[in-house]
Amino acid sequence: MKKYQQKSLIVVLTAVVVFVMGSLILLYFSGHKLAATANDDAKHIIKHIDDAVEESSRILLPLNSLNFAQCDDANLLEMRRALFDAKYVIDIGFFKNDQLVCTTGAGLLSKVIGDKKPDFIRPDSNVRIRFEPKLRLLLFNGREMPVVIVRKGSYNLIIDTTAFVNGSVTAPRWEASYKAGSKLHHLAGHNGLYDEITHQHQLPFETLLKCSDRSAGYCVAVHIPWSQFFANNQFLLVISLILNCLAGVSSALIIEFQIAARRSIKVRVSKGLKKGSFYWTYQPIICLQTGKVVGCEVLARFEDKYGVLYPDEFIPQIRKHHLTWSFTEAMIEKVLEELTPLEALPEGFKVSLNIFPCDLEQGNVSLLSQRPELTHSRFIICLEITEDEYLDTSIAHAHFRTLVESGFHLSLDDFGTGYSNLRNLQNLSFHQLKIDRTFVQDIATEGLKASMIPNIMELVHKFNYTCVAEGIETNEQEAILKTAGVHFGQGWKYGRPMTVAKFKTYLT
């Protein structure tokens, strides 16, 4: 897979992973919000059940303690007084011989009504409880209501179960039940929900079972489906999904930026010096008169896991980020390691190392004279320095003298292409001039630069320098340079830059 495809895949996967994780987090918090809503609903219903149980006891106990034997005006008055302050009880009835004889709403009945069998009897209080899903009140004969009928002694209470939710419960399905051992008795809400939640698989967070701490045995089942939760929170969910998408895109852009930063030339060069991404090649230098190898120029190359960088890409970065001396030290260490063991090097073999002019101004090059492995090397170290304004300073002159006195040769690289001050050529203690390849390539077209080669050679002879011509590729170029008196040549005609293994083979 190509690198740009890998990069695109990583960016896309990052966006997808962030979106998925964001969605999971959103679902997680939504689930907890849903569970909290169900819990609030259950607590609300249980509170009302507890209050209804307490209200029932508060009404039934005093009424039964009055010991009325029949439904007279005094009995009805006490019943109506008890109903007046009731919150859940909507009607009170009086029984005689298990026959309902009067109610607070209808008064004395013209025809008594027999009591029905209760759904269960609470053993702790002997209270009989029965659920009626569609009770017709005597006062409103055409009206049906879901109620719970609670009877103790001579009185029963009609409790409106719709008061348990009181309009503030979110759950569309809920059930209030009474658990007597392993048996479950329905009291209000959606009949069978408790058993459904207990025995059937449900989605996470959307169901809850909760029992009362105040009134033993009373429990509530609540079911809020995810679909309703999403419908009730559409706006927030849409906003959350949009933010989630933006987070995915932003993360992808950040990763793309980081990948680009890691693959930037600056970062690659900085890491390359530490991780050994730089390697050095050797291009032979030939004596034009004899055709023998007399030396080589060390040329830097770069390759890491992201690919190859060319010198015109990494050299400016090395200069810009002040890595010149680190680069030079790495070069010297590797060159000494690779060339010192080569027995094929001829006597007086010259190794040319490129030095950055800024290291002259900073005094770094003077440190080379303190390294015995360079000053006592089995080959001649020639330091090639490009023309630059740094060369035209008293500091540079002092460093040059130190280097020459330590046995180094100095070569003025790319002569004629950069900053030139001919007045200082003799003062800079150079041993050699290198004619830039642009002059050599101009020979074929008989251009202006080619016509300057004889003038350059006059300077070479005047200052008693040697001369190397770069970029020789053809026999014609070689013949003209040899006729002009150029001493040494370098270029593809004699060999391209090669690794030390190939260079060893080349020498032999």
Side-chain angles (χ1 to χ4, degrees):
M1 185 180 292
K2 295 182 179 179
K3 288 186 173 60
Y4 72 87
Q5 292 177 324
Q6 292 177 339
K7 174 183 174 182
S8 300
L9 181 59
I10 291 172
V11 171
V12 171
L13 285 176
T14 299
V16 172
V17 168
V18 171
F19 179 79
V20 170
M21 289 182 62
S23 299
L24 291 175
I25 292 172
L26 178 61
L27 281 174
Y28 175 79
F29 283 106
S30 297
H32 279 272
K33 173 64 176 175
L34 182 61
T37 302
N39 186 59
D40 290 342
D41 285 353
K43 288 170 62 177
H44 178 85
I45 295 171
I46 285 176
K47 179 184 180 302
H48 283 288
I49 291 175
D50 290 337
D51 291 345
V53 170
E54 291 181 1
E55 183 177 274
S56 299
S57 298
R58 193 169 59 248
I59 294 174
L60 289 173
L61 291 177
L63 287 177
N64 280 292
S65 66
L66 296 175
N67 296 319
F68 284 107
Q70 58 185 359
C71 189
D72 53 17
D73 291 341
N75 192 357
L76 282 172
L77 179 61
E78 292 299 332
M79 291 166 58
R80 287 167 179 160
R81 283 176 175 172
L83 183 64
F84 184 80
D85 293 325
K87 180 179 179 181
Y88 303 96
V89 177
I90 58 175
D91 202 1
I92 302 176
F94 176 74
F95 285 83
K96 185 176 181 179
N97 299 325
D98 282 338
Q99 300 288 325
L100 181 66
V101 295
C102 67
T103 68
T104 55
L108 190 63
L109 301 182
S110 58
K111 184 179 180 181
V112 297
I113 301 174
D115 193 13
K116 295 182 180 179
K117 183 180 179 180
D119 294 331
F120 64 93
I121 300 174
R122 289 200 57 171
D124 56 341
S125 58
N126 200 32
V127 173
R128 303 157 58 92
I129 300 175
R130 176 165 55 91
F131 171 66
E132 279 288 347
K134 296 180 180 180
L135 178 68
R136 293 176 179 270
L137 296 180
L138 297 177
L139 187 61
F140 303 99
N141 194 36
R143 183 175 178 180
E144 294 180 342
M145 298 181 66
V147 298
V148 172
I149 302 175
V150 179
R151 181 183 170 186
K152 181 177 177 64
S154 301
Y155 297 89
N156 75 349
L157 309 178
I158 309 298
I159 298 176
D160 182 11
T161 59
T162 59
F164 293 166
V165 293
N166 198 25
S168 58
V169 171
T170 303
R173 296 202 305 161
W174 61 273
E175 181 184 19
S177 305
Y178 178 79
K179 293 182 70 174
S182 59
K183 194 170 183 181
L184 193 70
H185 302 282
H186 174 76
L187 290 177
H190 192 277
N191 196 355
L193 178 62
Y194 196 105
D195 188 65
E196 178 185 328
I197 293 175
T198 305
H199 297 96
Q200 296 183 19
H201 177 72
Q202 305 289 334
L203 292 176
F205 301 110
E206 65 178 13
T207 59
L208 180 69
L209 301 177
K210 192 176 184 68
C211 294
S212 172
D213 296 328
R214 290 162 53 190
S215 305
Y218 291 101
C219 298
V220 171
V222 174
H223 178 224
I224 306 177
W226 277 99
S227 56
Q228 177 173 322
F229 177 80
F230 290 143
N232 293 343
N233 298 274
Q234 286 183 2
F235 179 75
L236 289 177
L237 289 171
V238 169
I239 295 299
S240 299
L241 286 174
I242 291 174
L243 292 176
N244 199 17
C245 291
L246 291 176
V249 172
S250 300
S251 300
L253 292 175
I254 291 172
I255 292 298
E256 184 177 25
F257 175 79
Q258 291 179 338
I259 292 175
R262 289 178 61 187
R263 296 183 179 182
S264 68
I265 296 177
K266 172 189 172 182
V267 174
R268 291 173 64 186
V269 169
S270 299
K271 290 185 176 179
L273 284 172
K274 301 175 183 177
K275 296 185 176 181
S277 300
F278 282 96
Y279 65 97
W280 279 266
T281 60
Y282 307 91
Q283 188 171 32
I285 298 174
I286 307 298
C287 175
L288 294 183
Q289 302 303 320
T290 64
K292 294 182 178 180
V293 180
V294 295
C296 67
E297 180 181 2
V298 179
L299 298 170
R301 297 293 182 263
F302 180 97
E303 185 173 6
D304 60 7
K305 62 182 180 180
Y306 300 119
V308 173
L309 288 179
Y310 296 100
D312 58 351
E313 293 178 301
F314 63 74
I315 293 295
Q317 293 295 322
I318 290 174
R319 286 175 174 168
K320 180 179 179 181
H321 300 289
H322 310 293
L323 300 172
T324 54
W325 190 242
S326 299
F327 175 83
T328 299
E329 288 187 312
M331 173 182 64
I332 291 173
E333 293 292 337
K334 196 64 178 178
V335 168
L336 289 174
E337 177 188 329
E338 292 184 340
L339 293 186
T340 299
L342 291 185
E343 298 178 356
L345 295 180
E347 187 71 23
F349 189 82
K350 185 183 293 185
V351 177
S352 296
L353 305 174
N354 289 281
I355 301 296
F356 291 92
C358 61
D359 286 325
L360 278 170
E361 184 72 13
Q362 297 167 5
N364 292 326
V365 291
S366 293
L367 300 175
L368 299 179
S369 62
Q370 302 173 17
R371 301 185 62 167
E373 67 270 27
L374 291 176
T375 56
H376 297 86
S377 172
R378 56 186 292 258
F379 36 76
I380 299 171
I381 303 296
C382 180
L383 304 178
E384 295 190 5
I385 304 171
T386 306
E387 290 182 288
D388 193 279
E389 61 267 24
Y390 286 130
L391 276 59
D392 191 17
T393 65
S394 58
I395 296 177
H397 293 190
H399 292 318
F400 284 142
R401 284 193 295 271
T402 301
L403 291 170
V404 171
E405 290 170 0
S406 300
F408 293 95
H409 284 203
L410 302 179
S411 175
L412 186 59
D413 197 14
D414 299 336
F415 180 73
T417 61
Y419 176 89
S420 296
N421 190 336
L422 300 180
R423 180 172 56 83
N424 288 326
L425 280 180
Q426 192 172 19
N427 297 331
L428 292 177
S429 305
F430 279 96
H431 300 84
Q432 177 178 282
L433 290 181
K434 291 194 78 170
I435 300 175
D436 186 68
R437 66 180 64 250
T438 57
F439 290 84
V440 176
Q441 292 170 354
D442 217 25
I443 290 175
T445 60
E446 298 181 354
L448 176 62
K449 286 188 175 182
S451 67
M452 294 176 62
I453 293 178
N455 298 326
I456 295 175
M457 292 311 299
E458 287 182 15
L459 293 172
V460 169
H461 294 312
K462 178 179 179 180
F463 297 124
N464 197 28
Y465 292 166
T466 58
C467 182
V468 180
E470 292 183 305
I472 300 175
E473 298 179 2
T474 66
N475 291 331
E476 178 188 3
Q477 292 170 343
E478 181 188 55
I480 293 174
L481 293 169
K482 187 187 295 185
T483 301
V486 176
H487 304 97
F488 307 108
Q490 177 183 346
W492 285 6
K493 174 175 169 52
Y494 312 111
R496 299 191 179 196
M498 59 193 79
T499 61
V500 68
K502 293 182 178 180
F503 187 58
K504 180 180 179 181
T505 303
Y506 177 86
L507 291 173
T508 57

